[in-house]
Amino acid sequence: MAGIWAGALLVSSAGGWFVTRLVLRLASRSRDAGRRRTGHGPVLLERLSVSDGPEGEGAQIVLRGGTWIGVLERLAVTGSLLVGVPEGVAVVVAVKGLGRYPELRENPGASERFVIGTLASLLWSAVVGLAVTRLLL
């Protein structure tokens, strides 16, 4: 059973990265994704007045570290479902939202990227966790 759990956690964390990237890429192709690009380099020096889209430079700068946060988020969500504590998902969502609130409030592109990426990541990890839980019953 430990091997199945380890496999589920691996599929959730690694597979979720691909799923989230795909969803973000598809979202950036939508007609309402922002087109504004800035040349600020590695630090966003001003508040974005319009969204530069979920794949925009501003969103990526503001949400630095998102890849690692997403991996940890997927591990926590899948793990909590595997051990039978679905309330853990609510804790992950709350901690993630509160931790990113200052950046999200100031940057519409970052907010868009955060919501899209978080939902894709949470859905993937929940599907993996629930599928493996059903498999083990």
Side-chain angles (χ1 to χ4, degrees):
M1 180 170 340
I4 294 173
W5 280 28
L9 291 171
L10 179 64
V11 167
S12 175
S13 61
W17 183 83
F18 291 108
V19 168
T20 303
R21 295 294 308 157
L22 174 65
V23 170
L24 285 168
R25 206 167 280 140
L26 290 172
S28 70
R29 291 184 183 162
S30 68
R31 286 191 302 151
D32 61 342
R35 301 283 181 247
R36 181 175 163 232
R37 296 282 181 183
T38 60
H40 294 298
V43 177
L44 188 62
L45 300 175
E46 65 185 28
R47 181 175 185 267
L48 293 175
S49 58
V50 296
S51 172
D52 62 350
E55 285 291 306
E57 179 183 354
Q60 291 183 18
I61 290 170
V62 170
L63 295 177
R64 64 200 170 281
T67 299
W68 288 107
I69 293 169
V71 168
L72 295 172
E73 164 193 310
R74 289 186 291 275
L75 289 171
V77 167
T78 301
S80 69
L81 293 173
L82 289 175
V83 298
V85 184
E87 297 85 2
V89 177
V91 172
V92 170
V93 172
V95 167
K96 189 172 180 186
L98 289 172
R100 288 292 196 182
Y101 181 73
E103 294 107 335
L104 299 176
R105 185 184 62 220
E106 296 293 323
N107 298 287
S111 296
E112 183 180 1
R113 182 178 181 84
F114 176 83
V115 169
I116 293 168
T118 297
L119 287 176
S121 181
L122 287 172
L123 282 171
W124 174 261
S125 56
V127 166
V128 171
L130 293 172
V132 171
T133 300
R134 294 269 188 228
L135 180 70
L136 294 174
L137 292 178

